[in-house]
Amino acid sequence: MYVAVKGGERAIENAQALVAETRRGNPAIPEIAPDQIREQLGLAVDRVMAEGSLYDRDLAALAIKQAQGDLVEAIFLLRAYRTTLPRFAVSEPIDTARMTVRRRVSATYKDIPGGQILGPTYDYTHRLIDFALAAAGEPPVAPQGEAGPDGPVPRVVDILNREGLIECEAEAPEGHEPVDLTRDPLTLPADRDQRLQNLARGDEGFLLALGYSVQRGYGGNHPFAGEIRLGEVAVEIVPEELGFAIEIGEVTVTECQMVNQFAGSKSAPPQFTRGYGLAFGHCERKVMAMSLVDRALRGRELGEDARYPAQDEEFVLAHSDNVESSGFVQHLKLPHYVDFQGELELIRRLRAEHEQRTREAAPGVDGAANRKEAAE
């Protein structure tokens, strides 16, 4: 017999107290502070900010602590808090060409204006566990090099642009207001601004799997990493009382320009196509996957058939959000007693009908068998 779980409000309160105790862990060990998470788990903080759509390192670190390191839960917490914040202005588009670059690499040209800057990267580590990190000690000090590029660093795709070898970025129609997915629901078919917003706050693992599928041939184009850059960009707003832009701060972003297989037609010569990715913080894997999926979703605009999952706009955009997908999957833990009882009664009735049909058919079958035996 199926009965409801007992305990109610008291059981829930006790469960929450147990969560708090479990989160704290052994009291003999010093408690981790949000500023330690912010400074030493920076890549986790960056992912939570990017997919939580809120640039605040302290809040992201606090959310990670509250969620016991469950990044999807931390993203949920940050988004929920975001809905309580007032919006006092809309910023001007950031200019990544004026980025203060900390890392900048290109897989298409060896020598690029401004030079290749490796910056902080795991690309050249041995991926071996460093047991020295388990011992307390003075943090290593990175060697000081020459000063970085003085002034804005030109984009690599601008080299292809000057020769007309890559498609030009399409200008938004006059009067077009970008959709705000944090306030308005997703609509299909989606314009590129809506798609990029969706991908920027989409789950990294989901986008990575789709990007991988594109590379393996389920997307119809071969990608080259034109440029990946990490650095700080200025955020500007235009107050109504001033009428001109003022800088209110800086944010760290990662940008990826992906150069993809070329396209052409009778009216246009062959040229490379673009894929684009940009997100808060240091998250190269995310923006690379984002740029691969962005190019796959642009197939409709370029006259390509949507044959694979990464090219299916509705499939990608409707399933990329980890907060929505996590909520829908985890709601299965909630009581479904009435629904299950209905299914249970239905299958019992179907089984009874099946058994009755079997019994009704049995005499005829037995009789035929007896007649055949008698004839022999």
Side-chain angles (χ1 to χ4, degrees), residues 7 38 42 50 54 66 95 99 127 133 157 181-183 189 194 212 216 244 249 256 269-270 297 307 314 337 340:
R38 183 193 65 221
L54 179 62
Q66 181 177 336
D95 185 359
M99 176 187 293
R127 265 78 177 198
L133 294 176
V157 291
L181 274 183
T182 66
R183 296 189 169 194
Q194 191 174 185
Y212 178 47
R216 295 190 65 244
F244 57 85
C256 177
L297 292 177
R307 300 169 54 196
E314 182 174 357
Y337 310 127
F340 182 67

Side-chain angles (χ1 to χ4, degrees), residues 218-286:
Y218 296 91
N221 61 82
H222 187 277
F224 296 91
E227 183 178 10
I228 301 163
R229 56 169 62 192
L230 161 72
E232 283 66 47
V233 293
V235 177
E236 298 178 335
I237 64 171
V238 181
E240 292 183 4
E241 61 272 21
L242 295 181
F244 57 85
I246 61 171
E247 183 176 328
I248 60 171
E250 288 186 335
V251 294
T252 301
V253 297
T254 306
E255 180 185 50
C256 177
Q257 295 269 7
M258 199 68 74
V259 179
N260 295 270
Q261 214 163 39
F262 44 82
S265 64
K266 291 182 179 179
S267 58
Q271 55 186 188
F272 288 110
T273 55
R274 297 172 180 261
Y276 186 74
L278 183 139
F280 288 148
H282 188 182
C283 47
E284 293 176 24
R285 187 169 53 220
K286 166 70 175 287

Side-chain angles (χ1 to χ4, degrees), residues 123-144:
D123 291 348
Y124 304 99
T125 58
H126 295 296
R127 265 78 177 198
L128 300 175
I129 293 291
D130 185 358
F131 291 98
L133 294 176
E138 292 297 321
V141 178
Q144 296 294 317

